Amino acid sequence: MRDTLRINGKRLLERLQSLGEIGALQGGGVCRLALSEEDRQGRERVIGWMRELGLQVTTDAMGNVFGLRPGQEKGPPVMTGSHIDTVRTGGLYDGNLGVLGGLEVVETLNDAGITTRRPLCVAFFTNEEGARFAPDMMGSLVYVGGMPLEEALATKGIDGEKVGDCLDAIEARGSMSVGNPEVHAFVELHIEQGPVLEESGITIGAVEKVQGISWTELTFTGTSNHAGTTPMRLRHDAGYAAMATATFVRDLVNRIGGDQVGTVGYLDIAPNLVNVVANHSRFTVDLRNTDNERLKQAEQELADFVNQLADREGIEFERRTLARFDPVPFDLAMVDRVESAAKALGHSVMRMPSGAGHDAQMLARICPTSMIFVPSADGISHNINEHTEPADLEAGVNVLLQVMLDLSE
Ligand code: HGY
Ligand code: MN
Ligand code: MN
């Protein structure tokens, strides 16, 4: 009976659409930055669904939310989940699919009158994106003990606001100490956010690992001056330095090759005027690689370049590490479970790494963990046109259902 159990794809889509109304952008997409008013509304809606499904809802001091479904026995639950915060130009599925897919699994079991041996839990973690407050995966990192709670709460975002103050402003700070509930195993359903599954014509990704992530913030301080009267030999141009570094990053990544990727996504220049040599620039460099040694090489070459550039240009600089996570391998038995569940359901499946960071990479520090990927149309994500076909969404949640049933017995 359990093998033939299937989720309700229409109900799943309705919840995804409903949650996507919160923070909806003109012309499509979603903006629900961590700990914003939109995040508060999103939390309220998801917690409401959790309660409607009979889950026991708890919130920890970092605002991580857990919906527990009791089992026949007590003990650490089989957990699934992800995040409901988005980047500024987010889509309907990044993170949300993992949380609402978990709720769909619960409702399917409720409808079938099934109580699993182990308890189940559906979670969403605070500030997975890291777009407002770095590092990313902050909530799950604190939950697994990888970042002290106080340090996280004191973290300032790109708008100067503190995490703790923003948690309180949206009444998201819970009373439960971080690290609860314990967890038996964790499996996260997520869109791939890249082109691999679609290009391979494969429906399910059994994720073997998450690549290493290095986020650095660089601040250059030069001398503002007249764009017309200042000879080039007398310039200390913080704008030029930022853009020279951005082009260096692209050349560096092309030179290293392989899985190496590099992005300058955040750039602020002042005074940002047509006829003034910039005296200030602040920007971020996102470097990633599945190979940690190569990632370290990229970080070292970037540091060397910035030192030499600052000397040459006669400018000051500050460097701040916003995030640094080594590549994380997932538990092979868990990857096998994802792969065999997909095959048993008749879906094509391939083992693959994750290019994006995920809460699962933090849960892997404390319990057997893996991820289930479904295809992203045109490999697009962190973009309002993010899309995954309903049949693929449904396939992913059916695989999640079977893996959770498997783990809960
Ligand atoms: O940046 C990431 O990989 C994730 O979206 N937080
Ligand atoms: Mn995500
Ligand atoms: Mn994301």
Side-chain angles (χ1 to χ4, degrees):
M1 164 2 182
R2 295 188 176 198
D3 296 353
T4 56
L5 208 51
R6 295 292 179 267
I7 62 111
N8 180 328
K10 184 170 170 298
R11 189 166 58 192
L12 169 71
L13 277 178
E14 283 164 1
R15 282 208 175 98
L16 283 164
Q17 295 295 347
S18 166
L19 184 54
E21 287 162 8
I22 299 175
L25 293 166
Q26 292 292 342
V30 180
C31 176
R32 213 168 38 239
L33 288 175
L35 304 182
S36 61
E37 169 55 22
E38 293 77 16
D39 190 12
R40 186 191 66 75
Q41 293 171 31
R43 286 166 172 265
E44 198 174 40
R45 185 159 297 181
V46 175
I47 290 169
W49 285 327
M50 287 180 166
R51 294 208 165 101
E52 279 170 22
L53 294 174
L55 298 180
Q56 296 163 8
V57 181
T58 52
T59 305
D60 72 12
M62 188 59 209
N64 298 314
V65 176
F66 304 90
L68 189 75
R69 184 177 195 264
Q72 293 156 15
E73 296 173 8
K74 295 210 177 304
V78 172
M79 190 184 288
T80 189
S82 191
H83 61 95
I84 61 170
D85 65 301
T86 75
V87 294
R88 205 173 268 147
T89 55
L92 286 183
Y93 309 103
D94 177 358
N96 305 308
L97 174 62
V99 180
L100 301 185
L103 294 187
E104 178 52 35
V105 165
V106 166
E107 187 150 12
T108 302
L109 295 175
N110 289 355
D111 292 350
I114 291 175
T115 302
T116 51
R117 184 165 73 82
R118 295 183 198 283
L120 302 180
C121 182
V122 182
F124 62 82
F125 297 99
T126 297
N127 184 33
E128 186 279 342
E129 290 295 358
R132 182 183 180 195
F133 306 99
D136 51 350
M137 289 76 71
M138 186 188 275
S140 49
L141 181 62
V142 170
Y143 168 73
V144 301
M147 180 181 198
L149 173 65
E150 290 318 312
E151 183 186 338
L153 298 176
T155 299
K156 278 192 178 172
I158 55 175
D159 49 15
E161 300 280 346
K162 278 188 187 167
V163 166
D165 298 340
C166 296
L167 264 177
D168 291 336
I170 65 166
E171 298 169 310
R173 194 198 296 236
S175 54
M176 181 166 70
S177 52
V178 294
N180 295 301
E182 282 183 83
V183 52
H184 170 70
F186 184 78
V187 54
E188 179 174 0
L189 168 62
H190 206 287
I191 53 173
E192 177 205 333
Q193 301 183 285
V196 175
L197 288 173
E198 184 178 66
E199 287 177 352
S200 314
I202 301 276
T203 305
I204 299 293
V207 185
E208 294 180 301
K209 63 178 168 181
V210 176
Q211 71 176 342
I213 301 175
S214 163
W215 284 1
T216 304
E217 177 193 78
L218 284 163
T219 305
F220 285 137
T221 304
T223 309
S224 61
N225 219 323
H226 195 296
T229 58
T230 314
M232 296 314 287
R233 60 185 167 80
L234 296 181
R235 294 188 181 209
H236 307 291
D237 185 340
Y240 158 74
M243 289 175 268
T245 306
T247 44
F248 171 79
V249 166
R250 175 57 68 90
D251 298 341
L252 171 68
V253 167
N254 291 339
R255 193 158 23 84
I256 292 177
D259 289 339
Q260 185 64 50
V261 290
T263 313
V264 174
Y266 175 101
L267 174 60
D268 183 38
I269 285 183
N272 209 19
L273 298 170
V274 62
N275 57 355
V276 181
V277 175
N279 68 332
H280 169 87
S281 59
R282 175 168 294 132
F283 60 102
T284 57
V285 181
D286 177 326
L287 295 170
R288 308 199 195 193
N289 200 316
T290 52
D291 177 328
N292 210 32
E293 289 316 305
R294 288 199 163 185
L295 184 54
K296 286 181 191 166
Q297 176 203 337
E299 288 173 310
Q300 188 54 56
E301 292 201 37
L302 172 64
D304 296 346
F305 174 82
V306 168
N307 285 326
Q308 289 151 23
L309 172 68
D311 277 350
R312 253 194 344 266
E313 195 63 25
I315 56 176
E316 300 297 316
F317 75 92
E318 277 172 55
R319 185 201 330 268
R320 199 158 66 96
T321 298
L322 297 179
R324 181 57 171 93
F325 301 120
D326 288 352
V328 175
F330 287 137
D331 176 286
L332 287 181
M334 288 289 286
V335 182
D336 290 345
R337 286 178 192 276
V338 171
E339 192 175 41
S340 43
K343 285 179 179 164
L345 285 164
H347 296 305
S348 54
V349 55
M350 64 184 280
R351 298 169 87 108
M352 62 191 290
S354 172
H358 297 288
D359 293 310
Q361 75 187 82
M362 302 307 170
L363 273 287
R365 297 186 187 193
I366 60 169
C367 70
T369 296
S370 183
M371 294 186 75
I372 304 161
F373 271 176
V374 289
S376 290
D378 303 325
I380 291 275
S381 183
H382 284 189
N383 179 310
I384 64 168
N385 298 313
E386 177 181 283
H387 178 70
T388 295
E389 286 300 309
D392 293 337
L393 297 170
E394 200 166 332
V397 181
N398 274 318
V399 172
L400 178 67
L401 169 64
Q402 292 303 322
V403 170
M404 290 186 77
L405 282 172
D406 184 27
L407 288 167
S408 64
E409 298 311 319

